Amino acid sequence: MSQRTLALQEIYRKGSRILEEALIPEASLDAWLLLSYVTGITKASYYGAPDREVSEGEAEQYFASVGKRAKRIPLQHITGEQEFMGYTFRVNEHVLIPRQDTEVLVDEALQALSPGARALDLCTGSGCILISLLKMAEERLHIEEIKGVGADISEEALAVAEENAKRLGAQAQFVKSDLFAKIEGRFDLIVSNPPYIPTEAIEGLQDEVRLFDPRIALDGGADGLHFYREIVRQSIGHIEDGGTLIFEIGCEQGEAVAALMESAGYGDVRVKKDLSGLDRVVRGRYNREQMYESRRRGNV
């Protein structure tokens, strides 16, 4: 018996309606992305032949995916991937989904790279920051011989990062480490997108984040600054004099994180805004003499 067939337009409209009724933001967009994921169709092909038939099997797979999204499961957990800095990264429930805001951090970090530099990415997660830095340094800036190390406390996250590095052809080393605990040597660049959500604020996040992002990648302690304090404090034993430290931050944390860095001997500390005009990145250059002066004054 032959399978019943349905038209692309028919299942897309039904998928959009299901997500709209489930109050999913950008329901039509997510319905389209799931349609493209299941059938492989492009927008040009769809608009050229919206009545093209799909098999009953494809339709079933599509509506199963729509059903998952209606339950607030993130789109990226359904498709297993997310675009970031022009590269496709594998993601799952063990890593934070790469977000466009984090691209500001990568853009800032690229400015700090030079041939032969050593770069460390703490709380690396999917590896999207470090891998993007290494790929873009080589392919777009023609900066070679960058040594990249990514560290994370989660073995499951490191497995995702290693898979992404292999798929994208990035030469990176990944280490299981609680911040700097297992990190050796000094680095010219240290970057991090650490957990920075205050513990009590997590319950107020979107379901897609609160229920499906790993809590270990969200919880920044009582005031959201725990990991910034620890990284800044420990970084002075692992950063070259004149090296650069760059953080992604929550939009209300710029002043506090900048102050932490300055008190530890970082100079030229600047806060960078994202495309929405919100504080998103803090960067500074380490100055050993400034650190000694801060210690003399009792700030470190």
Side-chain angles (χ1 to χ4, degrees):
M1 180 182 295
S2 62
Q3 288 186 319
R4 184 170 64 90
T5 57
L6 298 169
L8 282 168
Q9 188 176 68
E10 179 184 356
I11 67 170
Y12 170 55
R13 287 177 174 172
K14 185 177 292 186
S16 296
R17 187 164 59 251
I18 291 171
L19 296 185
E20 288 169 359
E21 291 173 353
L23 303 179
I24 299 299
E26 299 185 309
S28 295
L29 175 60
D30 282 8
W32 163 256
L33 292 172
L34 289 172
L35 182 66
S36 179
Y37 164 68
V38 170
T39 66
I41 194 169
T42 64
K43 282 192 174 181
S45 298
Y46 174 82
Y47 288 118
D51 294 325
R52 196 194 86 182
E53 293 181 339
V54 298
S55 70
E56 187 173 3
E58 282 184 316
E60 289 177 354
Q61 183 183 355
Y62 175 67
F63 287 118
S65 298
V66 168
K68 291 179 181 179
R69 184 68 188 100
K71 295 178 181 177
R72 299 285 173 165
I73 296 175
L75 180 74
Q76 296 86 347
H77 287 183
I78 300 169
T79 65
E81 61 185 33
Q82 172 66 18
E83 294 292 319
F84 182 80
M85 297 302 296
Y87 305 105
T88 300
F89 288 87
R90 293 282 175 85
V91 296
N92 60 25
E93 69 275 14
H94 300 298
V95 300
L96 197 68
I97 296 169
R99 291 167 169 82
Q100 186 179 22
D101 291 339
T102 306
E103 295 186 350
V104 179
L105 185 153
V106 176
D107 287 335
E108 288 293 303
L110 282 170
Q111 300 174 27
L113 287 178
S114 58
R118 295 192 75 212
L120 171 65
D121 176 22
L122 290 176
C123 310
T124 194
S126 67
C128 65
I129 294 171
L130 179 64
I131 293 168
S132 296
L133 278 174
L134 296 176
K135 296 286 290 182
M136 295 183 74
E138 179 181 359
E139 296 174 356
R140 306 184 191 185
L141 302 182
H142 308 293
I143 299 176
E144 300 179 351
E145 299 180 357
I146 304 295
K147 305 295 191 301
V149 177
D152 204 289
I153 199 170
S154 166
E155 290 184 359
E156 294 84 358
L158 290 171
V160 175
E162 288 172 350
E163 179 185 1
N164 281 321
K166 183 177 181 180
R167 289 180 60 251
L168 292 169
Q171 299 300 314
Q173 176 188 2
F174 292 99
V175 179
K176 183 182 179 183
S177 180
D178 184 356
L179 300 182
F180 292 97
K182 301 295 183 181
I183 300 301
E184 299 179 352
R186 291 182 178 272
F187 296 84
D188 304 286
L189 171 67
I190 299 176
V191 298
S192 184
N193 178 18
Y196 59 71
I197 307 298
T199 303
E200 291 187 355
I202 291 176
E203 292 306 313
L205 298 175
Q206 288 182 320
D207 288 349
E208 286 86 345
V209 176
R210 178 175 59 86
L211 298 177
F212 297 101
D213 273 341
R215 191 179 182 96
I216 194 174
L218 300 174
D219 194 342
D223 63 357
L225 299 174
H226 169 74
F227 289 96
Y228 296 113
R229 292 190 187 93
E230 288 301 309
I231 292 172
V232 169
R233 181 179 64 82
Q234 297 177 40
S235 69
I236 59 178
H238 294 275
I239 194 165
E240 297 283 3
D241 193 22
T244 301
L245 173 63
I246 307 180
F247 287 117
E248 178 171 338
I249 59 168
C251 63
E252 298 179 352
Q253 295 172 323
E255 184 176 343
V257 175
L260 288 171
M261 293 175 66
E262 288 170 348
S263 68
Y266 286 89
D268 191 26
V269 176
R270 290 176 285 164
V271 179
K272 178 77 173 182
K273 296 184 183 297
D274 59 23
L275 294 176
S276 299
L278 301 174
D279 289 351
R280 185 57 55 193
V281 167
V282 179
R283 64 176 292 174
R285 187 178 296 275
Y286 180 61
N287 184 308
R288 186 171 289 118
E289 290 185 2
Q290 185 172 330
M291 182 272 293
Y292 289 142
E293 179 64 17
S294 292
R295 280 185 171 176
R296 187 183 69 79
R297 295 178 179 178
N299 294 329
V300 180

